């Protein structure tokens, strides 16, 4: 299979994917820290991690979609379809989570933000 989104033959999608994964897992960890301590700094860390994860995830998704639609052999693989669906769902839930985190105080994280972050981490574990 050939990657259409590449730099000198090196596919871009696999280079970008670790960034949103780390950011979304980090957001879950900082949500847990906020739920345990009620220190607002953890909430600020969470929203910044979600924002960075959304930006990098958007770039990774763009490169992944270029590869997906560029080669019909990739589209024929069932695992590629599930990988795409689950990661797009994780990105969408993270976008919703960013709006939840934009609220003020305790309700910005507990319980909805924490639950959404946990679901995203589970989706990432399955999609990988």
């Amino acid at each position: 299979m050939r990657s259409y989104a590449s730099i000198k033959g090196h596919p871009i999608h696999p280079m970008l994917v670790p960034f949103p994964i780390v950011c979304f897992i980090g957001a879950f960890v900082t949500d847990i820290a906020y739920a345990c301590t009620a220190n607002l700094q953890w909430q600020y860390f969470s929203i910044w991690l979600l924002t960075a994860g959304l930006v990098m995830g958007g770039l990774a998704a763009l490169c992944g979609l270029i590869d997906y639609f560029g080669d019909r052999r990739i589209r024929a693989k069932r695992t590629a379809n599930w990988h795409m669906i689950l990661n797009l769902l994780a990105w969408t839930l993270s976008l919703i989570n960013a709006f939840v985190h934009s609220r003020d105080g305790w309700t910005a994280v507990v319980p909805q933000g924490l639950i959404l972050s946990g679901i995203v981490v589970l989706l990432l574990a399955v999609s990988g």
Side-chain angles (χ1 to χ4, degrees), residues 21-31 46 49:
I21 292 171
V22 168
C23 289
F24 293 150
I25 291 171
F28 181 54
V29 171
T30 55
D31 283 349
S46 292
L49 285 166

Side-chain angles (χ1 to χ4, degrees), residues 1-6 61-76 80 84:
M1 287 182 259
R2 179 174 178 259
S3 174
Y4 285 87
S6 61
L62 178 65
C63 293
L65 288 171
I66 290 169
D67 289 342
Y68 182 80
F69 289 111
D71 191 343
R72 75 178 102 108
R73 291 174 293 180
I74 294 174
R75 290 191 304 274
M84 179 185 66

